[in-house]
Amino acid sequence: MFKPSLYEEIYYEINKDKISNTEKYKIRRIVEFMNENPEAVLEIQGNADKATGTPEYNMKLSQRRAENVAKVLKDAGIDESRITVTYKGADANIYEGEDMSLNRVSICVAK
């Protein structure tokens, strides 16, 4: 049986943990998906780039990023039992080279 899924990346400015206005439409898509699929669960993984900040700071920053996404979703009516928050600091950087900013992200996967 087909199981719907959703993948969103919410990006941040350097050293920021607040969701920018330009990224809020992604939150709306997540809320819509979760409302349309009441059996779905969501994992939010916070990340930071390794080009800036200490490992300790980046871990805390990535935690705040993921928790902020979860809070906005809970405030929109998504039950917290359907949301898992993880954070990796800069340990899970996918992108290397000049555009480390792509690692300043909360990755949201709903299944």
Side-chain angles (χ1 to χ4, degrees):
M1 180 173 180
F2 174 74
K3 187 174 181 181
S5 62
L6 177 80
Y7 179 91
E8 288 289 350
E9 294 180 339
I10 299 170
Y11 293 99
Y12 302 87
E13 294 179 31
I14 191 168
N15 197 32
K16 302 291 184 195
D17 59 23
K18 301 295 181 216
I19 301 166
S20 70
N21 288 334
T22 58
E23 295 293 295
K24 288 185 179 176
Y25 75 96
K26 295 176 183 178
I27 297 290
R28 288 191 296 275
R29 284 203 296 221
I30 296 168
V31 169
E32 288 172 11
F33 178 86
M34 297 298 284
N35 286 334
E36 292 169 2
N37 298 279
E39 73 291 343
V41 293
L42 176 71
E43 181 174 340
I44 304 165
Q45 177 184 300
N47 297 278
D49 74 87
K50 64 183 176 184
T52 58
T54 65
E56 297 81 16
Y57 180 81
N58 283 335
M59 189 62 72
K60 290 177 184 173
L61 179 61
S62 67
Q63 179 181 7
R64 289 193 315 268
R65 287 173 172 170
E67 288 177 350
N68 283 345
V69 173
K71 181 183 182 323
V72 171
L73 294 172
K74 291 174 197 174
D75 290 349
I78 305 303
D79 191 282
E80 68 182 298
S81 67
R82 299 174 65 199
I83 301 171
T84 302
V85 172
T86 62
Y87 40 94
K88 304 289 184 176
D91 294 341
N93 278 193
I94 298 169
Y95 302 102
E96 298 291 333
E98 292 182 27
D99 203 357
M100 291 294 288
S101 68
L102 295 174
N103 293 306
R104 297 178 201 134
V105 64
S106 288
I107 299 171
C108 304
V109 179
K111 301 179 200 175

